[in-house]
Amino acid sequence: MAIGPKIQAKVEWGLDKYRRALALLLRVSFMKVDRDAFIRRVVLKSKSADVEQLVMKAKDSSLADVLDEKYMKSYYKKMMCRYSCVLFIASFFFTIVPESLWYTIPACIADFILFQCLLYIAMQKIMIMYGEECDLKRDKKAGIEKIIAIDSSGLMIGKYPLLQKLKSLLGWLSKQIVKRLGPKAIAKFSRPAFVVIRRMAIKWFSVIVAKENVITIFDALVPITCGVISGVVSVVIFVPMCNKLKRHLLERNASEKDCDNVVKG
């Protein structure tokens, strides 16, 4: 009997359950971006004249069609900076949790869920900004199906979809590796430098620096360093995914306008 089809069937079953679990996030009330309220907020911040007229036009098409391109780029960058800061801080603190599995596993799960929540909220706003119909407040089922389909299509992740799932574990694994190898590396490779620094400290400041104190400081910096690594990895994965969706929508809108011009011509 062929093993390949069986494995493939199990993988498809697992991915289907995974998508269903993610779809539950979009049913939570705070995950639903109010399309009309978001459009009005973006237009108001643009400080344009005839706000009500622009809002009505944007509801019929998209924000990119009625607002200045320079302003749209500026608003998008600020939005990405805001989400990146939240994601970095959260990933940092989720990584520096105590090393017990009772803390580490829930922290990794919470880190991943937060990543998905911010990603889905950002996706809704990008779709509203650049012309993709998405309104979970009015049509919850169609909106959820569209977001899950885009997230699962590979459009935003590219050919490495597992990076998104594994990024929550990166900080913790780095923390374990560095903590176990770090003190040995200090003892083996940095002893000559340590001796020189200690002699200089004694000579200039009359301060005795013990080897144990250096290792203690290093151990304290390990979780902080790994927290920074985890936060950076989260941002490095998050921002390009959003950029790919934005670029796809812009290219699609440009091609649709070209087709319309050809038809009119």
Side-chain angles (χ1 to χ4, degrees):
M1 297 177 65
I3 300 178
K6 286 186 176 181
I7 296 177
Q8 184 176 0
K10 290 182 179 179
V11 170
E12 289 297 330
W13 178 85
L15 289 175
D16 180 64
K17 297 298 182 183
Y18 170 75
R19 295 187 192 102
R20 289 175 181 272
L22 291 181
L24 293 176
L25 290 176
L26 293 168
R27 298 182 181 276
V28 182
S29 59
F30 76 87
M31 289 290 297
K32 302 172 185 177
V33 177
D34 190 321
R35 186 175 185 271
D36 294 346
F38 178 68
I39 289 175
R40 179 173 294 276
R41 184 166 64 250
V42 176
V43 173
L44 286 173
K45 288 184 178 181
S46 68
K47 298 180 181 179
S48 304
D50 300 326
V51 171
E52 292 301 326
Q53 185 178 359
L54 290 176
V55 169
M56 293 303 297
K57 288 182 179 179
K59 288 180 180 180
D60 294 334
S61 54
S62 69
L63 286 164
D65 291 334
V66 300
L67 295 177
D68 182 66
E69 182 180 354
K70 184 178 179 181
Y71 170 74
M72 291 295 293
K73 288 182 179 179
S74 174
Y75 188 90
Y76 177 81
K77 287 180 181 179
K78 290 179 181 178
M79 185 175 72
M80 285 297 101
C81 288
R82 186 166 61 250
Y83 284 133
S84 296
C85 289
V86 173
L87 193 60
F88 178 88
I89 294 171
S91 293
F92 176 85
F93 284 105
F94 282 138
T95 302
I96 62 173
V97 296
E99 296 176 18
S100 170
L101 289 178
W102 294 104
Y103 295 99
T104 301
I105 294 177
C108 290
I109 295 173
D111 189 17
F112 176 75
I113 292 175
L114 177 66
F115 181 91
Q116 288 295 150
C117 288
L118 291 178
L119 179 65
Y120 286 161
I121 292 174
M123 285 176 65
Q124 293 176 66
K125 292 183 177 180
I126 293 171
M127 292 163 74
I128 295 170
M129 290 170 68
Y130 295 102
E132 180 72 23
E133 185 64 31
C134 181
D135 192 350
L136 292 182
K137 292 284 186 179
R138 295 180 179 177
D139 194 347
K140 179 172 63 176
K141 183 178 179 181
I144 290 175
E145 290 177 353
K146 184 175 292 186
I147 292 172
I148 295 297
I150 293 175
D151 187 27
S152 305
S153 65
L155 169 67
M156 300 169 63
I157 307 175
K159 59 182 180 179
Y160 302 111
L162 290 179
L163 279 177
Q164 180 185 342
K165 287 76 178 175
L166 296 177
K167 69 96 190 174
S168 298
L169 297 175
L170 179 62
W172 180 71
L173 292 175
S174 301
K175 180 178 177 180
Q176 303 306 313
I177 294 172
V178 174
K179 183 174 181 182
R180 281 163 175 72
L181 299 181
K184 295 180 181 179
I186 285 181
K188 185 174 182 180
F189 299 107
S190 64
R191 184 171 296 175
F194 167 76
V195 172
V196 175
I197 294 173
R198 185 175 60 178
R199 286 176 181 174
M200 292 172 63
I202 294 173
K203 180 179 179 180
W204 292 350
F205 306 105
S206 299
V207 176
I208 299 177
V209 182
K211 177 180 176 181
E212 290 76 11
N213 293 336
V214 174
I215 295 178
T216 300
I217 294 173
F218 178 83
D219 288 340
L221 290 176
V222 165
I224 295 175
T225 303
C226 293
V228 171
I229 292 173
S230 179
V232 169
V233 169
S234 298
V235 174
V236 166
I237 294 174
F238 178 85
V239 174
M241 290 177 71
C242 294
N243 290 342
K244 287 178 181 178
L245 176 59
K246 173 193 171 185
R247 186 163 55 250
H248 168 75
L249 294 176
L250 284 173
E251 291 174 353
R252 190 196 64 180
N253 291 339
S255 62
E256 288 179 353
K257 289 180 180 178
D258 291 340
C259 291
D260 291 340
N261 292 333
V262 171
V263 172
K264 291 178 180 178

